[in-house]
Amino acid sequence: MGTAMFHVAAILVYRRRKIATVPISQPRVFPDSGFHCLDLTARFEEETLPDYSEERYYPIHIGEIFKSQYQVVTKLGYGSSSTVWLCRDLCNRRYLVLKVHVRTKRQPPEVGISNHLKAMQSTHTGKKYVRLILDAFEIPGPYGVHPCLLYEPAGIDIRDYIHGLEGDALPENVLRPTLRFVLIALDYLHQANIIHTDIQPNNILLGIDDDSILAEMEEDEISNPCPRKQLPDRTIYATRAMPLTSGEPILADLGEARLAEGKQTGLIMPGVYRAPEVSLGMDWDSKVDIWGLGQMAWTLFEQGHLFRTLSLETEAEKAQRIAEMISLLGPPPAEFLRRSQESLKFWDENGNWNSPVKIPEQSLEGRESRLETDNQVLFLRFLRKTLRWLPEERPTAKELLLDEWLRGDDY
């Protein structure tokens, strides 16, 4: 399972060049001029988010140093709950990724999950394929306290990676090893009683096998400062794109993970990947991650989602989703329906479909478009293992690693 398979020449990467870098133990001076100033009246980056409020975000600036140790180098991204930055660790002479959360009085749950995993001191191989928090601290902002999390740097997510591929999908010989890495990571988490709950393409990151690209990004920030919008009390910076890397995939974002033994309750998972036991209000366990992995496999390979994107907030939308599941997976067993009173909204007491929503006429074989004969049979057999109605009938991550299609010709 080498790393070279993840290189794609069609994607623009940073030119390899010799650069005279300043030792990471020394802070840098970043330019305060020579950049493009953006229109102050136009919304930009995090300002474009529906729930944006300047009081929620810490007004970070490039070159700022936190804890006398972490110097901000360039912006890597933003979201509704944080902004993300490349930074220098001046004490340990390395680059890290700094996530600065919006103001809150609560510690992000991910901190407790990471601490639990680090305390176990596991020797499981999957540990290296899960992105854990390296350090956590808080900083005071103008309107409140902001939690800050530090991670090892990683490359783009697998969703962005496939956008540069022909056909906007992973080839089969890249999909298989990608899923194997994720399953090794899941086996590690599940043995530690952690349920990820959010298996999807944007949480699978390509690893970085050459740290020099981070030094190049820093030098580019100095020689070619990113555009920015300078306001009286803050600066909104443009995100600098992470170059393509060819390291092994890493499972990231434990922000929705649960430390759990046995059954759990409550709404989890993105709607498009949500397991049926979650949609119907049943107890759930680590097998939701196996369902999510199967759905993600289809997305990465088939240029779209297995089920339509619905909010699942209304009974009508839930019925549409369940009808699609029945059409592709067959009807659920009676044992599954007995686990939730909500089942009676869609089936009668004898397990017959009892909804005005019609079950579509389709099959997995008809939907699958990239494989032929034996390869298709093996792929769909793998998929059906992950998408069984009864969670206990889905294999564990370790069991799924032995699947014939997943092993492919590499074994």
Side-chain angles (χ1 to χ4, degrees), residues 47-67:
E47 291 180 305
T48 63
L49 298 172
D51 59 349
Y52 175 78
S53 168
E54 67 175 33
E55 291 85 359
R56 299 179 65 234
Y57 287 81
Y58 180 82
I60 201 166
H61 66 266
I62 289 176
E64 189 169 0
I65 299 176
F66 297 111
K67 288 185 66 178

Side-chain angles (χ1 to χ4, degrees), residues 47-328:
E47 291 180 305
T48 63
L49 298 172
D51 59 349
Y52 175 78
S53 168
E54 67 175 33
E55 291 85 359
R56 299 179 65 234
Y57 287 81
Y58 180 82
I60 201 166
H61 66 266
I62 289 176
E64 189 169 0
I65 299 176
F66 297 111
K67 288 185 66 178
S68 302
Q69 180 175 355
Y70 305 117
Q71 184 181 29
V72 177
V73 168
T74 195
K75 187 177 181 182
L76 297 178
Y78 64 93
S80 60
S81 63
S82 66
T83 53
V84 183
W85 309 79
L86 181 66
C87 71
R88 287 172 155 247
D89 180 346
L90 303 175
C91 295
N92 296 300
R93 304 185 180 187
R94 58 182 176 174
Y95 290 100
L96 296 176
V97 169
L98 170 68
K99 180 184 285 188
V100 182
H101 278 259
V102 296
R103 62 181 172 87
T104 179
K105 296 180 181 179
R106 296 189 307 153
Q107 183 186 66
E110 186 177 357
V111 175
I113 298 292
S114 282
N115 289 341
H116 167 79
L117 289 167
K118 287 188 285 189
M120 292 184 65
Q121 298 183 332
S122 172
T123 59
H124 193 293
T125 305
K127 184 177 181 179
K128 66 180 289 191
Y129 301 120
V130 176
R131 198 185 198 197
L132 301 180
I133 295 170
L134 301 179
D135 191 12
F137 57 93
E138 294 180 339
I139 54 174
Y143 303 100
V145 173
H146 299 262
C148 296
L149 309 178
L150 272 300
Y151 305 87
E152 291 279 0
I156 61 175
D157 65 53
I158 202 79
R159 174 197 55 187
D160 288 340
Y161 172 80
I162 64 177
H163 291 334
L165 300 178
E166 183 179 353
D168 202 26
L170 283 186
E172 186 183 13
N173 65 343
V174 177
L175 176 65
R176 283 196 301 257
T178 299
L179 295 177
R180 290 200 297 261
F181 283 118
V182 176
L183 283 168
I184 292 169
L186 283 178
D187 185 53
Y188 162 63
L189 291 178
H190 293 171
Q191 287 193 31
N193 295 318
I194 301 295
I195 309 172
H196 190 280
T197 81
D198 196 13
I199 302 300
Q200 57 174 307
N202 61 335
N203 286 334
I204 312 301
L205 310 181
L206 296 186
I208 293 178
D209 52 4
D210 183 358
D211 288 345
S212 68
I213 66 168
L214 304 175
E216 292 182 20
M217 293 180 73
E218 179 181 26
E219 295 306 314
D220 282 348
E221 184 60 55
I222 291 174
S223 62
N224 183 30
C226 66
R228 62 203 64 182
K229 178 178 173 180
Q230 292 189 302
L231 299 166
D233 62 341
R234 67 187 58 236
T235 299
I236 310 294
Y237 295 92
T239 294
R240 188 174 294 274
M242 178 68 73
L244 180 70
T245 59
S246 55
E248 296 168 334
I250 298 167
L251 178 57
D253 197 350
L254 295 171
E256 300 296 328
R258 299 281 185 93
L259 173 58
E261 292 186 18
K263 298 292 185 179
Q264 303 295 306
T265 58
L267 193 62
I268 56 165
M269 310 180 74
V272 71
Y273 289 156
R274 189 166 295 154
E277 64 267 30
V278 177
S279 293
L280 291 171
M282 301 176 187
D283 294 343
W284 49 265
D285 59 17
S286 63
K287 294 300 182 65
V288 297
D289 287 341
I290 303 301
W291 177 280
L293 179 117
Q295 295 260 24
M296 182 180 73
W298 182 275
T299 298
L300 294 176
F301 193 54
E302 296 290 340
Q303 302 173 296
H305 298 305
L306 184 59
F307 303 118
R308 285 182 295 170
T309 303
L310 302 168
S311 69
L312 303 183
E313 293 179 356
T314 67
E315 298 303 328
E317 287 188 329
K318 285 184 180 180
Q320 290 176 39
R321 170 62 56 79
I322 295 168
E324 287 183 87
M325 290 181 179
I326 294 171
S327 69
L328 295 176

